[in-house]
Amino acid sequence: RKIGEEEISITVTVLICLSVRWNWMVMKSMGFVVTGSLGGRGSFLGSSASSKCPKRSRGQVGGVRRRSTLSMKAVSEVSKDSFQGEVMESDLPVLVDFYAAWCGPCKLIAPVMDWCASEYEGKLRVVKIDTEKYPNFVREYSIHGLPTLAIFKNGENISQIEGAIGKQKVLDLLKDNLPELSS
């Protein structure tokens, strides 16, 4: 049977829309705001064959818009040489994001790390380390998956968690290990 152009177009549109729906769910769990609906005629997953995913506008990715109410402080990147001074000898507790440039989940938690750096400025230092550039940290801190978040206090690794976690889990991690941040 020969497939017509209209059938291919509809199939591609449905696949793109399903991808948008999955991304929407992931992004919503990471603290993003939906700018369109996900059901009904003319929406992401409309009931008619003629419905299309909404066109993107500036500042949007796949139908979601990142919250931009906070001015984000950049998370500083540390190297093998600066790790001792920036993390181990820090007067403040340090949240370290062990990541890799190719890691998709690492990119998903980057806005949460930026939020932490802004929210806890002066109380918590937030840094990131590229494990591809500095593989010695992978062995030294027994990193089995990326991203890995570690909390250092007084030069000691007091807690570590692997995987892309949402803002609430990061807050719980900080609250459980650094109760002084709550005040």
Side-chain angles (χ1 to χ4, degrees), residues 6-35:
E6 186 175 325
E7 288 176 302
I8 291 173
S9 175
I10 291 169
T11 303
V12 170
T13 300
V14 168
L15 290 175
I16 290 170
C17 291
L18 289 174
S19 174
V20 167
R21 183 178 179 98
W22 181 85
N23 284 331
W24 175 83
M25 291 185 300
V26 170
M27 299 299 269
K28 186 173 180 189
S29 73
M30 299 296 290
F32 288 70
V33 179
V34 177
T35 59

Side-chain angles (χ1 to χ4, degrees), residues 30 75 94-99 105-106 108-110 112-114 116 126-129 131 141-152 157-171 173-174 177:
M30 299 296 290
V75 174
V94 184
L95 176 61
V96 180
D97 176 10
F98 293 97
Y99 80 101
C106 299
L108 279 176
I109 68 163
V112 177
M113 297 298 99
D114 289 338
C116 284
V126 182
V127 300
K128 61 184 180 177
I129 300 171
T131 57
Y141 294 104
S142 301
I143 296 170
H144 302 290
L146 295 177
T148 293
L149 303 181
I151 298 176
F152 287 81
N157 184 352
I158 60 172
S159 184
Q160 191 166 306
I161 188 168
E162 293 179 0
I165 59 176
K167 183 178 172 182
Q168 189 57 51
K169 280 235 179 188
V170 172
L171 289 172
L173 177 72
L174 294 174
N177 293 285

